[in-house]
Amino acid sequence: MSKQFDVIVIGGGPGGYIAAIRAAQLGKNVACVDEWKNAKGGPAPGGTCTNVGCIPSKALLQSSEHFEQASHHFADHGITVKGLSMDAAKMVARKDAVVKQNNDGILYLFKKNKVSFFHGRASFVKAVDGGYEIKVAGAAEETLVGQQIIVATGSNARALPGAAFDETMVLSNEGALALTDVPKKLGLIGSGVIGLEMGSVWRRLGSEVTILEGLPDFLGAVDQQIAKEAHKAFVKQGLRIELGVKVGDIKVGKKGVSVAWTNAKGEAQTLDVDKLIVSIGRVPNTTGLNAEAVGLKLDERGAIVVDGDCKTNLPGVWAVGDVVRGPMLAHKAEEEGVAVAERIAGQHGHVNFNTVPWVIYTSPEIAWVGRTEQQLKSDGVAYKAGTFPFLANGRARALGDTTGMVKMLADATTDEILGVHIVGPMASELIAECVLAMEFRASSEDIARVCHAHPSLSESTKEAALAVDKRTLNF
Ligand code: NAI
């Protein structure tokens, strides 16, 4: 006998579990199916974000930053540390404990919201009267029927042809977060978000890190003034970043990996490393979903085709997060999950794709929302720009972290904020004010007129807004 639900959510990552909770809050009878297993084979909901992405990377970034501070910066504060050492295995064990707290938190939230959780792989069986039959292959096999289905199956790391992930020598984000020894030499392919975050973690812990990037520009999608500032800081820290490279043959041995590559000048090079992380983007995951059984349409990249409302080609089937178009970000997935649950309940869910913030959790952090200066130029929009360096911010000086700036871009005529770009301390937190301002379609003058606490890093945002009108007070 099949179990009947109003809504079945396939995938328990940020898109899926949030959609399930919101649908339950709106009075629906909801099931969420997720197959992720912890080390003991038990359920580990939370998807890539919780298990091998956002959360564990931030745990390791924090631990490695503490080590970096103690090694190089405590002395500036008059603190002497003798006999400093680092235990990578313990750091990774702490990271695993943080992950488990998050897994358990989601299971608790399911109980609290009366979402039925099924541990196993869900696949479409067939369309039935008033919905879809879904098979769950787990410890026990279950058959569920849902009137509405939300697919939130996420993404997988993209492999480089000729260098399949073995998670021992050639690592995706999963292996990169599980290393228990610090590799002496670490190579990374791709200087995107994962390349820079993972490169930073292992450099801080003592690896000699080389990043090979195919594109000629560093962080091409980021405002180039900000990207240049970040590049300067990373190189100073000791990250070797080679741009405009062409990666050739990769030879994987028992003791190391050898990468043949050509530099921007066309000269043949070889990079010999102990471990290689490949971070060249991710691909949508529909493995085992049996989409073809019901005729669910995928595009040429394997993403589920959806409209602006996350509706697929099938009535009553929705898809959200990394498995559909748009940036592969946990918070974008969450917003889509909430909006879909609300649409199912007859409400008018809404996601504003123009105000989705981006954050790269390096040191300095990089965060932005809205359009970059290069985008505004290519869109032919007349704009005003204001920047304010953290060097002139009292709190940043007291913190001893004055790298970077806040840059605000506003419409030349209306003064509406079109983009804010930050490189510097706590950029990830500072960006929230800017997202809110853009959501409310604020002008730069609005931010300039708001009282910001002193001393705080947020004063730099206010000063950048004042700079748009060429009237900074502290620079
Ligand atoms: P990415 O798209 O950020 O960067 C991939 C980089 O690899 C690009 O710079 C690209 O030019 C380069 N590349 C591609 N093919 C190459 C090749 N054959 N040789 C050399 N370079 C090549 O992808 P990444 O870093 O793998 O991250 C995947 C996804 O995970 C991203 O969409 C990102 O949004 C998400 N993510 C987000 C985080 C955050 O929000 N802080 C943290 C980590 C990942």
Side-chain angles (χ1 to χ4, degrees):
M1 183 60 191
S2 59
K3 294 180 176 154
Q4 309 275 325
F5 292 93
D6 299 332
V7 180
I8 298 175
V9 183
I10 303 178
Y17 90 78
I18 290 290
I21 290 173
R22 185 70 189 119
Q25 282 176 346
L26 292 166
K28 301 291 176 190
N29 176 22
V30 184
C32 181
V33 189
D34 188 89
E35 66 173 330
W36 209 296
K37 290 191 183 103
N38 61 25
K40 291 183 183 150
T48 297
C49 165
T50 301
N51 291 294
V52 290
C54 317
I55 301 300
S57 63
K58 262 78 270 172
L60 289 187
L61 278 157
Q62 191 61 50
S63 299
S64 61
E65 183 61 17
H66 283 323
F67 184 64
E68 171 107 339
Q69 290 292 327
S71 310
H72 302 294
H73 304 294
F74 275 13
D76 299 342
H77 296 263
I79 303 168
T80 313
V81 184
K82 288 207 179 91
L84 184 71
S85 69
M86 189 265 312
D87 180 343
K90 190 158 183 193
M91 231 175 241
V92 170
R94 173 188 175 272
K95 176 264 304 180
D96 291 339
V98 173
V99 168
K100 183 157 189 315
Q101 282 168 2
N102 282 270
N103 295 142
D104 292 348
I106 295 167
L107 291 170
Y108 159 78
L109 289 170
F110 281 157
K111 272 210 185 90
K112 182 181 161 204
N113 289 283
K114 302 191 173 47
V115 172
S116 303
F117 176 70
F118 294 88
H119 189 210
R121 172 172 288 190
S123 54
F124 282 101
V125 180
K126 57 180 189 257
V128 291
D129 206 15
Y132 296 86
E133 188 177 307
I134 303 290
K135 185 177 87 181
V136 180
E141 194 157 298
E142 302 259 9
T143 301
L144 317 179
V145 169
Q147 278 174 20
Q148 305 273 333
I149 311 294
I150 304 174
V151 183
T153 42
S155 61
N156 293 315
R158 185 155 77 88
L160 198 65
F165 294 118
D166 57 18
E167 303 300 356
T168 309
M169 304 307 287
V170 182
L171 316 173
S172 69
N173 52 305
E174 301 200 20
L177 289 162
L179 287 172
T180 46
D181 288 314
V182 181
K184 198 161 170 301
K185 290 188 174 181
L186 176 67
L188 293 103
I189 301 188
S191 70
V193 191
I194 294 181
L196 290 171
E197 292 187 3
M198 287 300 98
S200 294
V201 165
W202 295 106
R203 180 203 58 75
R204 290 171 194 164
L205 300 180
S207 293
E208 191 182 305
V209 176
T210 303
I211 309 182
L212 302 178
E213 166 60 44
L215 292 176
D217 290 328
F218 179 64
L219 290 176
V222 175
D223 187 280
Q224 282 301 289
Q225 189 179 358
I226 297 295
K228 284 202 173 73
E229 190 78 11
H231 185 262
K232 219 167 48 188
F234 298 148
V235 171
K236 198 168 153 206
Q237 289 163 6
L239 278 183
R240 178 182 169 208
I241 305 169
E242 295 283 345
L243 301 172
V245 314
K246 207 169 170 327
V247 174
D249 274 357
I250 297 182
K251 289 201 185 77
V252 184
K254 284 214 166 69
K255 292 209 166 135
V257 183
S258 183
V259 183
W261 59 286
T262 314
N263 68 15
K265 291 187 203 143
E267 298 158 341
Q269 310 278 327
T270 310
L271 175 70
D272 291 309
V273 290
D274 301 309
K275 306 275 178 189
L276 182 71
I277 298 174
V278 176
S279 47
I280 56 167
R282 300 179 62 82
V283 286
N285 171 38
T286 51
T287 315
L289 188 61
N290 204 17
E292 51 292 351
V294 285
L296 181 63
K297 204 167 149 197
L298 309 184
D299 68 14
E300 63 288 348
R301 294 179 315 118
I304 297 175
V305 177
V306 289
D307 66 7
D309 285 348
C310 295
K311 276 191 185 129
T312 70
N313 64 311
L314 301 175
V317 181
W318 312 73
V320 300
D322 285 12
V323 79
V324 305
R325 76 308 167 253
M328 290 184 171
L329 296 172
H331 44 280
K332 173 262 193 185
E334 290 180 26
E335 293 302 313
E336 286 180 334
V338 166
V340 164
E342 291 177 350
R343 285 171 196 135
I344 287 173
Q347 299 186 353
H348 298 280
H350 178 68
V351 182
N352 184 356
F353 288 100
N354 296 322
T355 53
V356 174
W358 281 81
V359 179
I360 307 179
Y361 293 84
T362 41
S363 176
E365 291 185 346
I366 306 168
W368 71 97
V369 58
R371 282 185 279 179
T372 61
E373 196 162 356
Q374 61 265 27
Q375 279 173 327
L376 292 175
K377 278 190 182 137
S378 78
D379 292 350
V381 177
Y383 63 90
K384 301 175 285 182
T387 57
F388 186 81
F390 285 108
L391 199 61
N393 175 276
R395 182 79 195 279
R397 285 192 199 127
L399 286 172
D401 195 354
T402 54
T403 311
M405 70 180 90
V406 179
K407 172 173 179 175
M408 192 172 291
L409 300 165
D411 188 283
T413 314
T414 64
D415 193 34
E416 179 173 350
I417 300 169
L418 302 175
V420 185
H421 307 272
I422 307 174
V423 54
M426 289 290 163
S428 56
E429 300 294 333
L430 294 174
I431 202 68
E433 173 186 9
C434 309
V435 175
L436 187 69
M438 283 188 66
E439 193 62 49
F440 288 176
R441 302 196 62 177
S443 62
S444 77
E445 188 185 344
D446 288 328
I447 289 201
R449 285 186 182 279
V450 170
C451 182
H452 288 66
H454 176 77
S456 71
L457 296 169
S458 72
E459 287 173 289
S460 302
T461 310
K462 176 185 174 120
E463 289 276 5
L466 286 166
V468 170
D469 199 29
K470 298 194 173 33
R471 55 186 183 98
T472 49
L473 295 165
N474 285 286
F475 187 62

